[in-house]
Amino acid sequence: MKSKDLQDLMIGSDDVDSVSVKLKKILSIIRKHLNMDVAFISQFVDGKRVFKFVDTESDNPPMHVGDSDPLEETYCQRIVDDSLSNITQNTSDNDITRELPITDKLSIGSYMGVPITLSNGETFGTFCCYKQSSDYTLNNRDLSFLNAISDIASSLIEQNITFENECREIEERVQSVLNPETIDIHYQPIYNLVTDHVSGFESLSRFVTTPYRTPDVWFNEASQVGLGEALEIMAIKNAINGLQAFENDIYISINTSPATILNGAISEVLSDIDAKRVVLEVTEHSPISSYEDFRKALEPLRKQGLRLAIDDAGAGYASFQHILELEPDIIKLDISLTQNIHKNRTKFLLAKALCGFSRAIGCTIIAEGIETNKELNALKELGVDMGQGYLLGRPMPIDQAVSCV
């Protein structure tokens, strides 16, 4: 293996998946370099040797990731306690390997293995490889190479352990809030800028936890451990439960991810809801893998009157692509465009262009983040249909929201 290959294996390992990919690559390289049939990384867990990573060209490998054997029946334990040499050129010639059932079980003819030792001195397991035939060419130079690669694997495994522990902590933390009572929905009013009346509310999650953590932190962590949809759906259910508290001409806007739409979860949640009173917001920051599939997934709900909003327009290219591909009912101007629009000509002209475009395609424009009267007046001058922001009303509990209509 070239030194650059070693460097590449150490760079960029910043999550569990990338570490796993690198460990698998290491196994493949070592197996091919030493002309072996199988290479594997094992972990010692509760008195067993567990295969964590396996590399082989066989279509019918003798072991799979997750398989295990009692430690006392393995080469691995004997290599760690020095009762078996790191190199066995012919297992039939060795008194220990010849008698071990694992030799026949895995069809081991020749074998090399070294311990994987973590920085705290703990033995994680072993880095091993073998072939079905004997190999009298295996030597100490090969062993030195295997030891060097094992050191790299050890470093990556420590990263993997760290990431796995972090994921477990995150999962436990997210599981602790997967309870409707831990999510309090606040509602921020959306005003019609012509009539100065409330037309609807954007629903925003607030987590009742100590210490307090912002919603974006909770949803990001949930996504990291595969609980993003569960948390999102729970928040949406809490939000739409508030519909009954408002008059029938008031709608609720819900933030959702494309994945939750594409897999049908949104359709299920909204199956018994008056779709005309719901707006789904898709943000600029949410990539959509297939616009065609997205449109098909939403088609039944949109036929029932559900409206689609593209959030964060003006914040980047993706929002414009969303608009062109999805033909939304509402375009929401991003707060970065709204702030100081009265004294920034570039922002004013971009908003003007978006307003003209929205009118041409029959879209409603909502400006977010309005905080001053000067911003509000500039947006009214542009003909913006609706607006929301701290100047008009902060997010509030539902009882306050109902009273402000």
Side-chain angles (χ1 to χ4, degrees):
M1 190 196 302
K2 297 179 181 178
S3 59
K4 185 179 184 303
D5 293 329
L6 294 174
Q7 293 172 1
D8 290 344
L9 290 171
M10 296 301 294
I11 294 172
S13 299
D14 52 3
D15 57 41
V16 173
D17 289 338
S18 63
V19 168
S20 297
V21 167
K22 285 177 169 58
L23 287 169
K24 291 173 184 176
K25 185 175 181 180
I26 285 175
L27 282 176
S28 178
I29 290 172
I30 196 73
R31 182 182 62 78
K32 293 173 183 176
H33 179 81
L34 296 175
N35 193 29
M36 293 291 192
D37 295 325
V38 178
F40 66 84
I41 292 173
S42 75
Q43 182 180 10
F44 296 172
V45 181
D46 297 330
K48 293 184 177 182
R49 184 263 289 116
V50 181
F51 293 110
K52 291 288 288 184
F53 299 95
V54 176
D55 182 77
T56 176
E57 287 186 347
S58 173
D59 294 331
N60 186 27
M63 83 279 282
H64 299 86
V65 172
D67 289 350
S68 64
D69 295 286
L71 268 174
E72 65 269 17
E73 298 177 7
T74 67
Y75 289 20
C76 298
Q77 179 63 61
R78 287 162 176 77
I79 286 173
V80 168
D81 63 23
D82 289 328
S83 62
L84 180 65
S85 172
N86 297 104
I87 302 175
T88 302
Q89 296 175 326
N90 188 337
T91 56
S92 298
D93 293 341
N94 186 289
D95 292 339
I96 295 176
T97 57
R98 186 171 58 244
E99 299 300 324
L100 281 173
I102 200 73
T103 302
D104 289 333
K105 177 181 177 181
L106 299 182
S107 300
I108 303 173
S110 52
Y111 191 95
M112 288 183 65
V114 293
I116 297 175
T117 305
L118 304 180
S119 58
N120 62 3
E122 176 187 347
T123 298
F124 173 84
T126 55
F127 193 123
C128 304
C129 54
Y130 72 87
K131 64 171 59 174
Q132 294 181 353
S133 60
S134 61
D135 187 348
Y136 290 99
T137 69
L138 296 175
N139 54 43
N140 286 330
R141 183 178 179 181
D142 295 326
L143 181 60
S144 296
F145 179 69
L146 186 60
N147 272 310
I149 301 301
S150 178
D151 288 341
I152 295 174
S154 175
S155 176
L156 290 171
I157 285 168
E158 291 220 49
Q159 291 184 48
N160 207 45
I161 291 171
T162 299
F163 296 142
E164 287 178 346
N165 288 340
E166 288 175 352
C167 285
R168 270 194 298 272
E169 291 175 5
I170 291 172
E171 184 172 356
E172 290 173 2
R173 198 156 52 234
V174 174
Q175 287 285 4
S176 72
V177 298
L178 277 176
N179 182 326
E181 295 180 1
T182 63
I183 298 184
D184 187 18
I185 303 298
H186 283 211
Y187 298 85
Q188 184 172 28
I190 300 170
Y191 277 83
N192 184 309
L193 298 187
V194 176
T195 65
D196 289 330
H197 290 130
V198 175
S199 294
F201 291 87
E202 180 176 359
S203 59
L204 300 164
S205 299
R206 297 292 182 265
F207 289 83
V208 186
T209 59
T210 304
Y212 176 77
R213 304 170 83 228
T214 57
D216 61 308
V217 171
W218 282 112
F219 285 109
N220 286 337
E221 286 196 342
S223 296
Q224 291 175 38
V225 294
L227 294 173
E229 181 185 317
L231 190 60
E232 184 179 331
I233 290 298
M234 191 176 71
I236 290 172
K237 286 180 177 179
N238 278 14
I240 59 178
N241 283 341
L243 265 177
Q244 58 189 352
F246 296 104
E247 297 295 331
N248 289 336
D249 59 345
I250 297 295
Y251 73 85
I252 287 179
S253 186
I254 297 167
N255 292 279
T256 187
S257 64
T260 305
I261 292 172
L262 284 165
N263 65 20
I266 279 291
S267 295
E268 185 176 342
V269 171
L270 300 180
S271 60
D272 297 325
I273 301 297
D274 182 359
K276 297 185 184 69
R277 299 184 62 196
V278 176
V279 170
L280 289 187
E281 291 191 23
V282 177
T283 177
E284 132 89 17
H285 309 294
S286 302
I288 296 175
S289 56
S290 169
Y291 284 106
E292 181 180 359
D293 291 342
F294 188 94
R295 288 191 294 268
K296 287 180 180 178
L298 270 188
E299 186 177 4
L301 285 172
R302 295 194 76 176
K303 285 182 177 179
Q304 295 172 31
L306 177 135
R307 286 173 289 171
L308 178 67
I310 303 302
D311 201 5
D312 304 327
Y317 170 74
S319 59
F320 293 116
Q321 188 175 12
H322 287 355
I323 292 167
L324 294 173
E325 294 281 358
L326 299 177
E327 300 179 354
D329 306 282
I330 297 169
I331 297 173
K332 299 191 76 172
L333 300 184
D334 185 66
I335 187 172
S336 64
L337 195 59
T338 300
Q339 286 184 333
N340 296 317
I341 192 171
H342 58 288
K343 56 183 181 182
N344 186 312
R345 181 167 176 77
T346 302
K347 288 184 178 183
F348 187 88
L349 291 175
L350 178 55
K352 182 178 181 180
L354 283 170
C355 288
F357 175 75
S358 68
R359 280 191 285 271
I361 63 173
C363 254
T364 298
I365 282 275
I366 298 177
E368 296 184 290
I370 304 172
E371 296 185 355
T372 69
N373 280 309
K374 289 182 178 179
E375 291 171 351
L376 177 61
N377 291 334
L379 292 164
K380 285 184 174 180
E381 179 185 340
L382 287 170
V384 170
D385 304 295
M386 293 192 280
Q388 66 182 103
Y390 284 179
L391 176 68
L392 303 174
R394 291 174 177 267
M396 62 191 79
I398 192 165
D399 55 341
Q400 296 179 28
V402 170
S403 65
C404 83
V405 176

